[in-house]
Amino acid sequence: MNSPRKVVAITGASQGIGAGLVKAFRDRDYRVIANSRSIKPSSDPDVLVIAGDISDRKVAERMIKEGMAKFGRIDTLVNNAGIFVAKPFTEYTAEDYANVLAINLGGFFHVSQFAVAEMVKQGSGHVINITTTLVDHAIDGVPSVLASLTKGGLDAATRSMAIEYAKRGVRVNAVSPGIIKTPMHAPETHATLAGLHPVNRMGEISDITQAVLYLESAGFVTGETLHVDGGQVAGH
Ligand SMILES: NC(=O)c1ccc[n+]([C@@H]2O[C@H](COP(=O)([O-])OP(=O)(O)OC[C@H]3O[C@@H](n4cnc5c(N)ncnc54)[C@H](OP(=O)(O)O)[C@@H]3O)[C@@H](O)[C@H]2O)c1
């Protein structure tokens, strides 16, 4: 009997790492539920696009409900949507605080609840959270308190969820990127950003998609944060 085709839900899928993940999973013949606020409809019948703000619980619910209705299962969720606001700590506004928490934490919380409920019914599933190496390794000159506050929460929640669901077939892991060449960083900053990594280069989107696909295939790995950061967390 053929095993059913797998289904992955990816947030923040319109560009950068998320768009790279859509391609990487489609290349493995996964069916994809893709979300972002401005994402365009897809002509690919194996891609279901759910446009909207993932911090809105109704959008998160639609992503999983409509995905289940169309594809009948949900094997993997990649919580990739995220924003980075680099400001000195005392210059963050109340609006910055609310936005970063809503997207980086709310964007994980709501959709993960709906997805994990389905995974538990299936008896299998995998959640992958995209964090940042700044959680473990702050950089002088790159102010990042709100990134550490929110992605640090995701990092810790990765282990909590992994243990809570370990006996029910659901794995939970994280990928912790260094600085990756995506639209998040203007090309004129690349040379400076490269120098922040011991390997003296920025990461490529493929460095992150390979790590996600490794975790996806690694059935004995759960509760792990895989650093893909050109050595940043190891030291300087
Ligand atoms: N690039 C890096 O150096 C780096 C380093 C460490 C960690 N990360 C993390 O990796 C993830 C992807 O980063 P990236 O560099 O690919 O970023 P990016 O190029 O800025 O893309 C971010 C994606 O998230 C979507 N998004 C933002 N807010 C959203 C919301 N409220 N609801 C739904 N989607 C939303 C954006 O699309 P819309 O605008 O259409 O919503 C876009 O598709 C983020 O979580 C980021 O924190 C990146």
Side-chain angles (χ1 to χ4, degrees), residues 139-180:
I139 301 174
D140 187 24
V142 184
S144 58
V145 170
L146 284 184
S148 297
L149 186 64
T150 54
K151 299 288 189 172
L154 288 189
D155 183 53
T158 296
R159 289 182 291 279
S160 308
M161 277 180 72
I163 297 308
E164 184 172 339
Y165 289 99
K167 292 191 176 58
R168 286 180 277 177
V170 179
R171 295 185 300 118
V172 186
N173 289 297
V175 171
S176 178
I179 306 171
I180 310 300

Side-chain angles (χ1 to χ4, degrees), residues 15 24 48 70 75 123 147:
Q15 63 173 39
L48 171 66
K70 185 169 168 74
D75 298 281

Side-chain angles (χ1 to χ4, degrees), residues 16 142 178-197 199-205 232:
V142 184
I179 306 171
I180 310 300
K181 271 188 207 158
T182 72
M184 193 178 268
H185 307 290
E188 57 273 21
T189 64
H190 286 187
T192 309
L193 295 175
L196 297 175
H197 302 77
V199 298
N200 207 30
R201 72 166 175 89
M202 292 176 74
E204 302 291 337
I205 289 170
Q232 280 190 327

Side-chain angles (χ1 to χ4, degrees), residues 12 14-15 17 36-38 53-54 80 131 151 178 180 182 185:
S14 63
Q15 63 173 39
I17 292 168
S36 94
R37 293 163 304 185
S38 68
D53 184 336
I54 198 62
N80 168 73
T131 65
K151 299 288 189 172
I180 310 300
T182 72
H185 307 290

Side-chain angles (χ1 to χ4, degrees), residues 34-57:
N35 154 268
S36 94
R37 293 163 304 185
S38 68
I39 194 166
K40 301 279 176 300
S42 171
S43 56
D44 180 343
D46 288 317
V47 176
L48 171 66
V49 168
I50 305 288
D53 184 336
I54 198 62
S55 69
D56 177 345
R57 188 167 177 87

